Amino acid sequence: MAAGDILEAETNARDLRASPRHVALIMDGNGRWAAARGLPRFEGHRRGVEALRRAVRAAINLRIDYLTVYSFSAENWSRPREEVEMLLGLLHRFIRNDLAELHASNVRVRVIGARGDLAPEILDLLREAEQVTQANAGLTLVVAFNYGARQEIAAAARALAEMVALGRLAPGEIDAEAIAAQLDTADIPDPDLIIRTSGEQRLSNFLLWQAAYAEFVFLPILWPDFDEVAFIGALAEYGHRDRRFGGLDAAAPGAKTAS
Ligand code: IPE
Ligand code: IPE
Ligand code: MG
């Protein structure tokens, strides 16, 4: 192998190692985007859906396996009724208009979040998106809708408590793995990278359990301005991070011999 080939192979291997398998997006700043232009908040949300389309396309181009998007939190119900209806309407339209294209792009749609108190027409739509695309093997698009991490963990605790009450599980068998298996994300790997736009630096009840070892990138831009360039920039930043998972950096002295 020529020196150039070795270098290229090494670079590819490094790229592969450095690229995240699962990226989660906190799509924040639609309201501020609109306010800065003297437009109604609705316009910010509408442009936010366009940014979401761009993000999905970019994730496909960048060969990311899982993309989770925070579309509506369990706490977002506390917004004015007109805004909540507008957001539900946009989700409705996004799935109606984009499902065929997502399916054609081999995207598998998954929805996480509480379903119990959702209107039947929304439930049917979410179910349809999952069913139609369930056999697809490309990008998995995880839509967090009516999602709250504390509520998700509480539901997992309830499910485990019921198993204990029925005598199917001993309390001593409850470990991190048993809890993870009860979460909405049971069959989805933990996010490697969480990107939040709008300059806010918080999780807002998003993937609290799953984010234990995630890397965070906070972008100052507002969500409607998010594009492939911003996405690649966040991935580049991720590529410079040294993920240790409590162990030693692979390059640290003694790391290879320590066990
Ligand atoms: C994100 O934008 C969309 C949702 C939370 C549904 P916001 O509506 O939170 O926009 P800001 O934070 O008010 O600018
Ligand atoms: C988080 O954004 C939820 C979504 C992006 C869907 P928020 O705008 O609701 O978060 P806070 O209220 O600023 O923490
Ligand atoms: Mg916000």
Side-chain angles (χ1 to χ4, degrees):
M1 217 190 229
D5 292 339
I6 293 171
L7 195 67
E8 196 190 302
E10 276 176 4
T11 308
N12 290 342
R14 204 163 41 241
D15 284 351
L16 215 60
R17 208 172 48 228
S19 70
R21 182 166 184 221
H22 181 176
V23 177
L25 298 170
I26 303 179
M27 312 185 285
D28 195 20
N30 294 349
R32 278 163 282 175
W33 185 93
R37 289 161 180 77
L39 298 169
R41 289 180 65 83
F42 173 74
E43 196 51 27
H45 292 313
R46 202 182 62 74
R47 296 291 289 263
V49 175
E50 289 175 15
L52 170 60
R53 284 195 187 102
R54 284 198 296 273
V56 171
R57 265 184 237 123
I60 294 170
N61 289 342
L62 296 164
R63 296 176 192 281
I64 284 160
D65 290 340
Y66 293 83
L67 182 73
T68 297
V69 295
Y70 204 5
S71 69
F72 192 87
S73 77
E75 287 74 34
N76 284 148
W77 296 104
S78 66
R79 294 188 180 197
R81 200 169 58 93
E82 315 81 74
E83 179 160 352
V84 169
E85 278 172 8
M86 173 196 305
L87 288 166
L88 297 184
L90 281 173
L91 174 85
H92 207 278
R93 254 185 291 163
F94 173 71
I95 295 183
R96 269 272 153 274
N97 297 339
D98 290 48
L99 185 57
E101 193 188 326
L102 291 170
H103 188 37
S105 306
N106 204 17
V107 172
R108 178 169 62 134
V109 178
R110 287 281 314 269
V111 182
I112 59 170
R115 307 263 179 127
D117 44 2
L118 296 180
E121 66 268 21
I122 298 261
L123 270 177
D124 287 347
L125 205 62
L126 298 178
R127 232 178 269 135
E128 184 191 336
E130 289 187 312
Q131 274 169 9
V132 167
T133 62
Q134 64 183 343
N136 290 345
L139 172 75
T140 297
L141 174 64
V142 183
V143 180
F145 178 75
N146 189 27
Y147 177 85
R150 286 182 166 178
Q151 293 83 339
E152 179 191 36
I153 294 167
R158 254 189 328 269
L160 292 170
E162 275 161 21
M163 287 187 228
V164 170
L166 292 169
R168 293 193 191 141
L169 184 74
E173 288 174 313
I174 299 177
D175 54 11
E177 216 177 298
I179 294 172
Q182 295 301 322
L183 300 175
D184 294 356
T185 52
D187 52 349
I188 297 170
D190 285 343
D192 300 294
L193 169 64
I194 297 181
I195 302 171
R196 183 170 187 150
T197 56
S198 91
E200 308 299 347
Q201 304 193 359
R202 53 177 173 263
L203 276 175
S204 302
N205 205 14
F206 187 48
L207 302 178
L208 299 182
W209 176 280
Q210 298 85 343
Y213 274 101
E215 296 294 329
F216 293 89
V217 170
F218 297 106
L219 299 176
I221 60 167
L222 302 170
W223 176 252
D225 292 327
F226 188 84
D227 58 12
E228 187 158 12
V229 173
F231 207 150
I232 291 170
L235 296 183
E237 162 81 39
Y238 172 87
H240 291 118
R241 301 282 174 86
D242 175 20
R243 301 186 78 191
R244 297 186 189 157
F245 300 97
L248 293 180
D249 171 7
K256 290 213 174 76
T257 48
S259 61

